[in-house]
Amino acid sequence: MSQYLLACDEGTSSARSVLFDREGQVAASAQIELQSIFPNDGWVEQDANAIWEAQRQSITDALEQMGTTTSALHAVGITNQRETTLVWDKSTGKPVGPAITWQCRRTADQCAAINSSNDAEWISARTGLKIDPYFSATKLRWILDSDPDLAQRAVNGELAFGTVDSWLIFKLTEGRLHAIDRTNASRTLLMNLREGTWDDDILSCFDIPPSMLPTIAPSSGEIGYTSGDVLGVEIPIAGVAGDQQAALVGQKCTTANSAKLTYGTGAFLLVHTGFEAKVSNCGLLSTTAASQGERDEFAIEGSVFSAGSAIQWLRDNLGLLATAAESEDLATSVPNCGGVYLVPAFEGLGAPHWAANVRGALVGLSRAADRRHIVRAALESIALQSYDLIEALESDTGDQISELRVDGGAAANDFLLQFQADLLDRPVVRPVDLESTARGAANLAAAATDFWLEASYEVDRRFEPDMTATDRDSKLDEWHAALGAVL
Ligand code: ADP
């Protein structure tokens, strides 16, 4: 009997492969680093072949850890960095150029032009997104505009467009399947969010030949089989979702108003909105959630640009910390922040402030302030920004989340999670397995292939709120004063 479910987790900085056993436990995990290329100011690319090779190598390494081969695999789940845009030749399978990653800002001028036209509003309304270089559509247009020969080959139907999930599916099936899962499709700026189909008007607006587009597939279901020549076995590809949507599933946030927050470099909030696509008035995005049933599911999404990166900044730029983990002991070695607030607007501020051009500040310094207060202020700033995001989202949707499930690197920090619970006046829950992304992809594939009965979700710790309303209010007032000074 096949023993393991393979989750391929293709991220920005690495490709990982995780083997889950029939109890839903992680049996093995292997990771291969990936390089990004920065050819111009604000441009970010990756080598498409390197993405595949790293993924393939991590699969081999994970299997080796268990002393087994692909014959032990039951099915594959895929989760991936979203929005990253690839184009390849349909007949040779060769990429026509590098992958343009989600971080790449090269199409800022094109987006600014659309934003000042009449098209921005209806495209946003249909896709749930904003017109921004982040999403795939303008990146794809840029690739076609970069070379008249490519534009012609696209019109001739010779080229394929895909996001990273499409690319991995294409490689795993040895070119037999050109597909994209619905959550990834919802991030291209080409999909009608409510219909779940490519939008003809938007395709015409960006002048994208429909023949380039992959088939939109469900997130959970057997969408194709791996090639025996590539993987050594023919097994179903049965779960696919973009990283944030996969994390939502991995955290078992699969009903309306359940929410997860990932504290990584930035902080990513996703709130499930059930079978309804909700519209935000404060610039949050509406997106597809990975559905395991017949009906379409939706989520609302917002992010804080600088979260864990504020801790990195203290460590690498100011030399206040040797390791990120040390921040917890330093923060708890003082009773409070001593009036010090860090507004880590290193890349401007995102939702709900949307102030791209402001920059960070450290305010409230007295002669008594030392590095412990600054470190504490940095950790508090992660929770305070997340609080503002959640508050904005709740006033937008009119719904309340009852608890917040967290993951990501900085979720290891107990002080941060307790402070977050105190600010929200609601429990913050940390699972044992912080790799929610891989787990989500595995859950989607398991559901479609009857691999396990119940997706496991083990709580490591529940942080209960423990702050008086007066203290909370004065904390928030001081933070908002600091923010106001920056804005
Ligand atoms: P990403 O996926 O964005 O690379 P990770 O989820 O791996 O991020 O988390 C790494 C981030 O978390 C870094 O910015 C780091 O500064 C921060 N971090 C890691 N451990 C801790 C900790 N114990 N306390 C606070 N921040 C931490």
Side-chain angles (χ1 to χ4, degrees):
M1 192 169 75
S2 51
Q3 292 165 278
Y4 302 116
L5 206 146
L6 165 66
C8 295
D9 180 357
E10 203 297 309
T12 311
S13 51
S14 71
R16 300 189 327 115
S17 288
V18 184
L19 300 181
F20 289 87
D21 67 20
R22 286 198 171 261
E23 272 71 55
Q25 301 294 327
V26 173
S29 172
Q31 185 166 3
I32 303 284
E33 298 294 317
L34 259 179
Q35 301 300 321
S36 291
I37 308 148
F38 307 95
N40 257 319
D41 185 23
W43 291 31
V44 191
E45 300 176 349
Q46 283 185 331
D47 180 335
N49 288 316
I51 291 176
W52 164 240
E53 287 308 329
Q55 192 65 61
R56 197 205 316 244
Q57 186 59 49
S58 70
I59 297 172
T60 306
D61 292 354
L63 289 164
E64 253 170 32
Q65 284 176 22
M66 301 314 292
T68 188
T69 65
T70 49
S71 60
L73 297 179
H74 175 79
V76 185
I78 296 173
T79 178
N80 57 288
Q81 50 168 314
R82 305 174 302 174
E83 298 99 10
T84 296
T85 302
L86 299 98
V87 175
W88 62 90
D89 184 294
K90 283 183 185 169
S91 57
T92 65
K94 288 210 175 91
V96 302
I100 302 184
T101 78
W102 58 274
Q103 300 132 304
C104 188
R105 308 297 297 174
R106 76 181 61 190
T107 58
D109 290 347
Q110 290 88 324
C111 291
I114 301 169
N115 275 321
S116 59
S117 78
N118 293 332
D119 291 327
E121 200 176 319
W122 67 266
I123 296 177
S124 291
R126 289 195 201 176
T127 57
L129 307 176
K130 304 190 326 160
I131 313 294
D132 190 276
Y134 185 24
F135 307 108
S136 314
T138 56
K139 300 183 202 285
L140 173 54
R141 189 60 248 163
W142 188 95
I143 293 172
L144 298 181
D145 286 340
S146 69
D147 179 349
D149 178 51
L150 285 182
Q152 188 56 50
R153 284 163 66 197
V155 170
N156 297 348
E158 295 166 30
L159 301 183
F161 152 74
T163 44
V164 169
D165 58 320
S166 315
W167 178 237
L168 295 181
I169 292 167
F170 183 80
K171 294 306 256 183
L172 284 166
T173 60
E174 218 182 348
R176 287 199 295 267
L177 188 60
H178 182 207
I180 185 171
D181 109 281
R182 191 153 166 175
T183 65
N184 277 290
S186 81
R187 314 292 300 181
T188 58
L189 203 64
L190 298 171
M191 192 188 89
N192 185 305
L193 181 66
R194 287 165 192 83
E195 308 282 325
T197 53
W198 301 122
D199 189 295
D200 291 337
D201 297 329
I202 301 179
L203 293 177
S204 312
C205 187
F206 287 107
D207 195 16
I208 306 291
S211 63
M212 298 190 79
L213 300 175
T215 305
I216 300 177
S219 297
S220 184
E222 296 192 9
I223 65 167
Y225 287 81
T226 59
S227 153
D229 289 338
V230 174
L231 210 59
V233 281
E234 293 187 17
I235 50 171
I237 298 171
V240 187
D243 51 13
Q244 297 306 318
Q245 283 93 341
L248 200 62
V249 173
Q251 289 267 26
K252 284 192 115 183
C253 295
T254 49
T255 51
N257 298 323
S258 51
K260 74 90 199 166
L261 183 66
T262 302
Y263 298 107
T265 308
F268 295 90
L269 174 74
L270 253 79
V271 181
H272 202 288
T273 58
F275 302 116
E276 194 185 343
K278 296 223 166 162
V279 177
S280 160
N281 302 315
C282 64
L284 302 177
L285 307 171
S286 292
T287 195
T288 305
S291 161
Q292 292 175 63
E294 292 292 306
R295 290 180 70 186
D296 302 328
E297 296 172 26
F298 298 92
I300 205 157
E301 171 169 342
S303 50
V304 167
F305 296 157
S306 301
S309 62
I311 305 302
Q312 281 171 309
W313 179 73
L314 296 185
R315 188 192 62 192
D316 302 338
N317 297 46
L318 298 192
L320 296 188
L321 295 166
T323 63
E326 199 192 345
S327 61
E328 182 168 347
D329 283 346
L330 279 168
T332 51
S333 67
V334 281
N336 55 53
C337 68
V340 178
Y341 286 84
L342 173 68
V343 182
F346 303 121
E347 292 108 18
L349 292 168
H353 315 291
W354 296 111
N357 297 323
V358 307
R359 288 297 174 264
L362 194 56
V363 305
L365 293 171
S366 71
R367 190 65 182 77
D370 62 35
R371 75 172 174 139
R372 296 168 303 168
H373 301 98
I374 296 174
V375 169
R376 186 167 173 131
L379 285 172
E380 289 189 357
S381 78
I382 301 175
L384 286 159
Q385 293 179 95
S386 304
Y387 169 88
D388 284 344
L389 187 61
I390 292 167
E391 224 241 357
L393 185 137
E394 290 186 333
S395 64
D396 240 10
T397 60
D399 296 323
Q400 279 254 323
I401 58 171
S402 55
E403 64 174 32
L404 183 67
R405 296 187 168 185
V406 296
D407 52 46
N413 193 306
D414 290 354
F415 168 77
L416 169 65
L417 302 198
Q418 183 59 52
F419 186 64
Q420 188 76 75
D422 291 345
L423 287 177
L424 288 171
D425 198 22
R426 273 165 277 180
V428 167
V429 183
R430 177 172 65 200
V432 172
D433 180 9
L434 288 178
E435 298 294 350
S436 310
T437 313
R439 178 168 295 281
N443 285 354
L444 291 166
T449 58
D450 297 327
F451 189 69
W452 54 60
L453 290 174
E454 179 70 21
S456 85
Y457 179 82
E458 261 180 87
V459 173
D460 168 52
R461 190 165 159 194
R462 226 180 131 79
F463 296 83
E464 297 291 345
D466 182 24
M467 188 184 258
T468 65
T470 318
D471 285 352
R472 183 165 40 250
D473 288 348
S474 79
K475 195 79 212 166
L476 289 168
D477 285 348
E478 287 175 23
W479 161 250
H480 289 133
L483 254 183
V486 162
L487 287 167

